[in-house]
Amino acid sequence: QVQLVESGGGLAQPGGSLRLACAASGTIFRIYAMGWYRQAPGKQRELVAAMTSDGSTNYADSVKGRFTISRDNAKNTTSLQMNSLKAEDTAVYYCNADLLVGHLGGVGRGNYWGKGTLVTVSS
């Protein structure tokens, strides 16, 4: 069974920093992409940052220059370094991964989500 587990959320002051981490576990043969989404109260879930297997990155305009995504392919992990945090960054952050996994029926590609970690930016 494939699982994505996030860690590192919490409370930060405006202008501060937090680092989120996500670890994927299970029978994983390949990671096509890993990334982070967020959902603020009353808003739709949105892409924050993503990285493909070749290292290409994609960031939301609102976080460019402040957030940095990284991956450790050997450990099946991804991290999101968040600097210069703003109140509008407050949200639940979800790890997402596009994976090739093994299961009882064989091998297949799927999209997986973590349960989320809350980031609150407030003074």
Side-chain angles (χ1 to χ4, degrees):
Q1 183 178 359
V2 175
Q3 283 188 317
L4 302 182
V5 179
E6 302 102 335
S7 61
L11 176 65
Q13 292 188 338
S17 299
L18 282 175
R19 186 177 181 87
L20 305 182
C22 172
S25 62
T27 307
I28 299 169
F29 294 109
R30 183 175 179 180
I31 298 177
Y32 295 100
M34 292 188 81
W36 294 89
Y37 287 71
R38 68 186 180 187
Q39 188 166 18
K43 294 188 177 181
Q44 290 188 330
R45 191 174 297 189
E46 63 175 358
L47 173 69
V48 176
M51 179 180 283
T52 61
S53 56
D54 65 359
S56 298
T57 57
N58 184 29
Y59 291 93
D61 288 342
S62 60
V63 307
K64 284 181 180 176
R66 300 189 298 122
F67 291 10
T68 302
I69 188 171
S70 60
R71 275 175 57 176
D72 185 331
N73 292 327
K75 296 182 179 179
N76 292 343
T77 61
T78 182
S79 297
L80 184 68
Q81 179 65 41
M82 305 185 294
N83 298 329
S84 303
L85 284 164
K86 304 176 181 179
E88 49 264 43
D89 294 319
T90 295
V92 177
Y93 284 70
Y94 297 91
C95 180
N96 176 268
D98 183 8
L99 307 173
L100 183 68
V101 303
H103 49 78
L104 290 178
V107 177
R109 183 171 179 173
N111 191 262
Y112 297 84
W113 293 91
K115 293 183 178 179
T117 185
L118 177 62
V119 171
T120 303
V121 183
S122 174
S123 56

